Amino acid sequence: MATPSFESSRARAMWRTCLASALRTALACTIVGVATLFGPQYIKKQVAFPAFSYVTVILVVTDATLGDTFRGCWLALYATIQGVCPAILSLWLIGPARLTAGTTAIAVALSAFVVVLPENTHLIAKRIALGQIVLVYVIAYINGGQTETIMHPVHVAASTGLGVVACVLALTFPYPCLACCEVKQNCKLFAENASERFNLFVKAFTAEDNSCALAFISQAKSLVKTGSKLLQGIKTKQESMKWERFPFKFLRPYGENPGSRFQDVQTPLRGMEIALDNSPSFPVEILNSDQKSVLHMLGDHIPKQVNNVSLESSATVPESNQENTQKFFQTLQPTKKDLPSLFFLFCLNLLLNKPITNSPSSTNPKQQNQQGFFQNCLSITKSNKRFMAAFKCSLSLGLAIYFGSIYSKDNGFWAGLPVAISLAGSREATFKVANVKAQGTVLGTIYGILGCFVFEKYVQIRFLSLLPWFIVSSFLRQSTMYGQAGGLSAIIGALLILGRKGFGPPSEFAIARITETFIGLSCSIMVEILLQPTRATTLAKLQLSKSFEILNESISSISFGSIGNLVESQNKLKSHIIEMGKFIAEAEAEPNFWFVPFHSVCYRKLMGSLTKMLEYLHFGSQAFMLLEQESGGSIDNFIHKLDGDIKLFKDFVGSSMKCFEEVSLVKSLAILDKEFEKKKLSVDVELGTSQSSSHCNIIRYASEEEIDENLRSYFEHSKEFVDQIVNGEELKGQVVLSLSALGFCMHGLVKETKEIEKAIKEVVQWENPSSHVNLHDISCKVRALANIIVAN
């Protein structure tokens, strides 16, 4: 099989990437070291803070390409305008001699707030500017009246500039490290990965027994994670490619937006995987020997099509094979027992033909007003979040500087610098990140002390001992245990020991820096706890409820003629599921203290089911759009019948989502029961009715027989619609695939709804171990209480 060789080539590529990143970083740091230790006296005088030059190198060059460094030059210039230029005016107005620990902390905090508040400023620019602010004000406070009001900030800017120049040189020599080359390599690897997965899926689909099919499916699944990582790597480097086009106009970029086109390959492959997972047995009954040969023929063509995607080449089915492909689809009929097989072929059809994208043409005034109101609310929420993020950063930095300067005036800036350069772009797992930063700092500092001991007699070249540590740190950044935060802290910890000068004996400096780092991290944790008291567990619960609400909206949009609303709801649901995943990851890492432990396994199940429902909605919307495109006006006479068949699915899934939305927000069943009794509501729980709540939300339970009967009716109407098509056999085949895919997606939504119901019940039982859990009863009580509050 090709899988082991592919995985080994992927492993070698990862090693090459980590080694190349480490060597480029080492080269940039070597340039800084040579310039500050052996360079002309003028450079030594201007670059008064070589430690910050090293920090700038790490912020800009880590895992970067030449395009990233060009962008880093602009960001460093912008950061200097934000950080250094206002500081010159502040020092001139205040006077360095009048600075105290308190006034320095206030100046740093106010400057930090101004830097962090803008939304569109890049994170690297904010980090560099914050680092410059710390150095300018705290060093001015340390030196007092001896500080030059203008030249001192200029020296900080020069130190930043040296770091950026070193990054550009390191990424240029001995040969440029171009983003387009990395994208080209990743595109090649992704094409191999996708082709291998497709061939394995086809082999599984045409397998003669279950054991062979399951073996092929398992083999294909082992490649899915690698393919997703490669696709993500392609997408992340597309911005860097833009920065390389100006200085290297003679280089043709590797396709325009290859990530988007490869996503059009990734999605149908995921649909094939879903179809095979839902296939009851093998071999599939829908295929005969001729159809199997056509599938294998397509298996030879698809890899060529995937390889041509990134080059924007035309890659359609060859004319000699197109007739066989059309005949293959013409023989199909919509049947319930063949749903997974027909959905597999539907996804194959999407892979052969570019998926349809829907762009809503127009909306009525009411919808426009609702969208405008929603946008205004969203804008206000974002403004509040930006303000709070800026306030927390400024307060953390101000407290770190204040307490760090009180502990040791000469080393006070080491408390603020780690806080400044590790500013996060979004919410983080506070305790976990602080833990890995502390561990990384200690590891790097200890390595630096050992390096100083080994190179005690060769002080001028001891920074060369950083090369092996850069390699180790590159793998630390890729690890789950340390991640980016821990890996970067490890690099900086070693750099500031081996690349420093004028800070005294290494062991004393190491202890002082570790202590100051602890002070800075403690201030960050304290501010996070005080200003962001909402636990990630609570946020995950709220996000889960919100996802159910949006999913209910999406389900309500499932009908002919309202595909635009369905696509819009899908995009909202996707963003909320991604956000929920972040909260779940944070909740898994945060300490429990006296709270109920977070049931991460169950939340992961819920997220998996929501993700699958999102995928079913996506493929369902594709089926809707293909039906409207292929059938034209001939489907109008059957819209009422098909919508009626879909209604039962919508009622069951939609009412369930509404129930889950309400139940997932209940904190305590005991408190709910007390409130319910307090209001003295006469509720017949068994019937789900109350004298004050005629709109009690009840799950629309649908039995397997009811669902099967509804599917049977759906396929009868689908067959009627297919039989009345007179425009050609090819069109019939395409319509059969679309109708079957729609039926498969609706059945999948029902299946995942039942899985979510089990998981929600498990979560509620976990949080209320002494209570009997009945989602129907809980939903009725919540609804009844809500109606009483509204009535009063």
Side-chain angles (χ1 to χ4, degrees):
M1 287 291 178
T3 303
S5 61
F6 173 79
E7 287 299 324
S8 60
S9 64
R10 173 61 183 162
R12 286 194 298 270
M14 180 180 177
W15 269 91
R16 286 195 299 268
T17 301
C18 289
L19 288 175
S21 175
L23 290 173
R24 298 281 185 178
T25 306
L27 178 57
C29 291
T30 301
I31 293 171
V32 172
V34 170
T36 54
L37 295 175
F38 307 108
Q41 190 62 34
Y42 176 76
I43 293 181
K44 292 181 181 180
K45 182 179 179 182
Q46 295 301 318
V47 183
F49 306 100
F52 193 69
S53 298
Y54 289 119
V55 170
T56 304
V57 166
I58 300 304
L59 291 177
V60 174
V61 84
T62 303
D63 296 331
T65 60
L66 190 58
D68 294 321
T69 58
F70 287 147
R71 181 181 60 182
C73 291
W74 160 248
L75 294 177
L77 176 61
Y78 184 71
T80 302
I81 294 173
Q82 276 192 311
V84 171
C85 294
I88 295 175
L89 179 62
S90 299
L91 287 180
W92 180 73
L93 292 174
I94 299 173
R98 290 198 293 270
L99 286 174
T100 63
T103 55
T104 302
I106 293 173
V108 169
L110 292 176
S111 301
F113 182 84
V114 173
V115 167
V116 177
L117 185 60
E119 180 183 14
N120 297 326
T121 305
H122 196 279
L123 188 60
I124 291 178
K126 291 182 180 181
R127 288 174 174 175
I128 293 175
L130 292 175
Q132 291 175 338
I133 288 169
V134 169
L135 288 180
V136 169
Y137 286 107
V138 180
I139 297 296
Y141 163 61
I142 294 171
N143 295 333
Q146 300 177 0
T147 304
E148 300 180 29
T149 304
I150 296 179
M151 292 309 299
H152 166 56
V154 169
H155 292 160
V156 174
S159 302
T160 305
L162 176 62
V164 173
V165 170
C167 291
V168 174
L169 294 176
L171 270 296
T172 304
F173 299 103
Y175 60 88
C177 178
L178 299 173
C180 59
C181 295
E182 285 194 19
V183 170
K184 182 177 181 179
Q185 178 64 19
N186 283 338
C187 286
K188 180 181 177 182
L189 290 173
F190 181 84
E192 293 175 4
N193 177 282
S195 301
E196 182 67 18
R197 277 188 285 157
F198 176 79
N199 287 326
L200 289 170
F201 287 147
V202 170
K203 289 177 181 178
F205 190 63
T206 57
E208 295 298 328
D209 56 72
N210 284 337
S211 59
C212 289
L214 292 175
F216 287 129
I217 293 171
S218 176
Q219 200 172 351
K221 285 185 176 182
S222 67
L223 301 174
V224 171
K225 188 174 182 181
T226 302
S228 299
K229 287 183 177 179
L230 289 169
L231 182 58
Q232 186 62 31
I234 293 170
K235 291 179 179 179
T236 54
K237 291 300 179 183
Q238 289 180 167
E239 180 67 23
S240 304
M241 292 169 59
K242 297 178 182 178
W243 284 88
E244 293 172 358
R245 291 175 189 171
F246 177 72
F248 295 96
K249 290 184 178 180
F250 60 89
L251 290 175
R252 287 188 62 189
Y254 194 68
E256 296 287 337
N257 196 16
S260 175
R261 291 192 303 280
F262 272 130
Q263 187 63 55
D264 293 339
V265 174
Q266 180 85 335
T267 303
L269 287 176
R270 171 58 184 155
M272 291 180 173
E273 182 184 347
I274 293 173
L276 292 173
D277 286 340
N278 286 274
S279 296
S281 62
F282 297 91
V284 296
E285 298 179 4
I286 199 173
L287 295 178
N288 55 37
S289 58
D290 293 336
Q291 290 170 326
K292 287 183 179 181
S293 63
V294 173
L295 273 179
H296 288 296
M297 174 269 296
L298 291 175
D300 296 332
H301 166 70
I302 290 293
K304 299 176 184 178
Q305 177 172 326
V306 173
N307 282 320
N308 288 330
V309 165
S310 57
L311 296 174
E312 296 186 301
S313 301
S314 175
T316 56
V317 180
E319 289 294 332
S320 58
N321 298 324
Q322 196 167 14
E323 184 177 349
N324 291 330
T325 306
Q326 292 174 0
K327 288 181 180 179
F328 176 78
F329 291 132
Q330 288 171 14
T331 60
L332 303 174
Q333 284 294 329
T335 58
K336 176 183 178 296
K337 65 177 182 178
D338 295 324
L339 266 184
S341 301
L342 291 168
F343 183 68
F344 182 94
L345 297 176
F346 172 79
C347 295
L348 173 61
N349 189 41
L350 287 181
L351 194 59
L352 291 171
N353 305 284
K354 186 176 179 181
I356 300 176
T357 56
N358 183 79
S359 54
S361 57
S362 62
T363 56
N364 58 48
K366 182 178 179 180
Q367 288 177 324
Q368 291 177 349
N369 292 334
Q370 290 175 346
Q371 291 175 0
F373 177 76
F374 175 76
Q375 292 295 334
N376 290 335
C377 294
L378 190 63
S379 177
I380 294 172
T381 303
K382 286 184 176 180
S383 299
N384 292 335
K385 287 183 177 179
R386 286 203 313 272
F387 179 85
M388 184 54 66
F391 181 68
K392 285 192 297 184
C393 175
S394 62
L395 185 59
S396 300
L397 206 51
L399 291 175
I401 295 298
Y402 180 73
F403 289 114
S405 299
I406 289 177
Y407 176 78
S408 173
K409 180 178 179 179
D410 293 337
N411 295 301
F413 59 91
W414 294 118
L417 201 57
V419 178
I421 63 177
S422 61
L423 173 70
S426 59
R427 182 184 167 109
E428 291 182 317
T430 306
F431 289 95
K432 179 184 177 181
V433 172
N435 181 36
V436 297
K437 285 179 183 177
Q439 289 187 37
T441 300
V442 172
L443 286 175
T445 302
I446 292 174
Y447 181 86
I449 293 174
L450 293 176
C452 290
F453 174 77
V454 173
F455 287 87
E456 185 177 3
K457 296 181 180 180
Y458 308 97
V459 177
Q460 298 298 320
I461 60 170
R462 68 186 180 192
F463 63 85
L464 295 177
S465 63
L466 286 168
L467 178 57
W469 188 244
F470 285 140
I471 297 174
V472 172
S473 298
S474 294
F475 288 99
L476 287 180
R477 291 200 311 274
Q478 303 295 329
S479 68
T480 305
M481 180 179 292
Y482 286 94
Q484 288 290 329
L488 291 176
S489 297
I491 295 176
I492 293 173
L495 264 175
L496 296 181
I497 297 292
L498 293 169
R500 85 199 204 294
K501 62 178 182 178
F503 289 115
S507 57
E508 292 182 9
F509 172 70
I511 294 173
R513 184 172 178 273
I514 290 174
T515 305
E516 294 287 353
T517 300
F518 176 79
I519 292 173
L521 294 177
S522 299
C523 292
S524 295
I525 293 174
M526 182 178 66
V527 170
E528 286 290 331
I529 293 174
L530 292 176
L531 297 183
Q532 189 171 283
T534 307
R535 300 178 70 235
T537 303
T538 304
L539 293 176
K541 182 187 285 283
L542 293 172
Q543 200 68 27
L544 177 65
S545 177
K546 187 66 176 176
S547 298
F548 287 141
E549 179 187 348
I550 298 174
L551 186 54
N552 186 26
E553 294 176 5
S554 301
I555 299 299
S556 302
S557 302
I558 298 177
S559 64
F560 291 93
S562 61
I563 305 303
N565 296 333
L566 178 57
V567 173
E568 184 181 344
S569 298
Q570 284 179 47
N571 295 332
K572 287 170 60 179
L573 180 60
K574 183 178 180 179
S575 64
H576 277 78
I577 292 175
I578 292 173
E579 193 70 17
M580 188 177 77
K582 295 177 182 178
F583 289 141
I584 291 174
E586 182 182 345
E588 289 172 337
E590 71 180 1
N592 294 320
F593 295 122
W594 54 85
F595 300 101
V596 176
F598 181 67
H599 200 340
S600 60
V601 175
C602 214
Y603 270 87
R604 288 291 178 188
K605 288 181 184 177
L606 287 166
M607 185 174 172
S609 292
L610 285 171
T611 303
K612 287 181 181 178
M613 295 185 84
L614 177 63
E615 291 169 341
Y616 286 132
L617 287 172
H618 170 76
F619 289 114
S621 63
Q622 287 289 316
F624 268 118
M625 286 185 278
L626 283 169
L627 276 172
E628 290 182 349
Q629 174 183 286
E630 292 156 357
S631 59
S634 60
I635 198 174
D636 292 342
N637 297 329
F638 288 86
I639 285 179
H640 180 69
K641 293 182 180 180
L642 293 175
D643 272 342
D645 294 328
I646 293 172
K647 188 176 185 302
L648 175 69
F649 295 110
K650 290 171 60 176
D651 289 345
F652 170 68
V653 178
S655 62
S656 298
M657 290 304 122
K658 187 63 179 175
C659 171
F660 302 153
E661 175 193 344
E662 296 168 344
V663 171
S664 61
L665 291 176
V666 175
K667 295 182 180 179
S668 170
L669 293 183
I671 296 176
L672 177 66
D673 290 336
K674 287 180 181 179
E675 284 293 317
F676 192 71
E677 293 298 328
K678 186 178 178 181
K679 299 294 183 181
K680 296 181 179 179
L681 296 173
S682 55
V683 177
D684 186 348
V685 175
E686 189 170 345
L687 295 177
T689 60
S690 82
Q691 65 184 34
S692 54
S693 177
S694 59
H695 304 287
C696 178
N697 189 58
I698 304 174
I699 302 178
R700 168 67 168 89
Y701 289 103
S703 63
E704 290 292 336
E705 294 77 11
E706 206 173 354
I707 293 173
D708 289 342
E709 180 62 31
N710 201 69
L711 268 178
R712 194 176 299 111
S713 172
Y714 173 80
F715 281 112
E716 286 177 1
H717 293 145
S718 297
K719 193 172 185 305
E720 291 178 19
F721 171 54
V722 172
D723 291 341
Q724 61 91 41
I725 295 177
V726 295
N727 294 334
E729 294 298 323
E730 179 188 352
L731 178 60
K732 283 188 178 181
Q734 300 291 337
V735 171
V736 167
L737 288 180
S738 299
L739 289 169
S740 301
L742 185 56
F744 178 84
C745 291
M746 296 306 300
H747 189 265
L749 288 172
V750 172
K751 179 182 175 182
E752 291 305 321
T753 299
K754 294 180 178 180
E755 292 298 317
I756 288 176
E757 183 179 347
K758 295 176 185 176
I760 285 289
K761 191 171 183 178
E762 186 177 345
V763 169
V764 176
Q765 189 69 72
W766 174 273
E767 296 173 349
N768 302 271
S770 60
S771 302
H772 173 69
V773 175
N774 186 308
L775 300 184
H776 174 271
D777 295 352
I778 298 170
S779 178
C780 283
K781 291 177 181 178
V782 170
R783 198 68 170 164
L785 286 172
N787 287 334
I788 283 295
I789 293 173
V790 171
N792 293 335

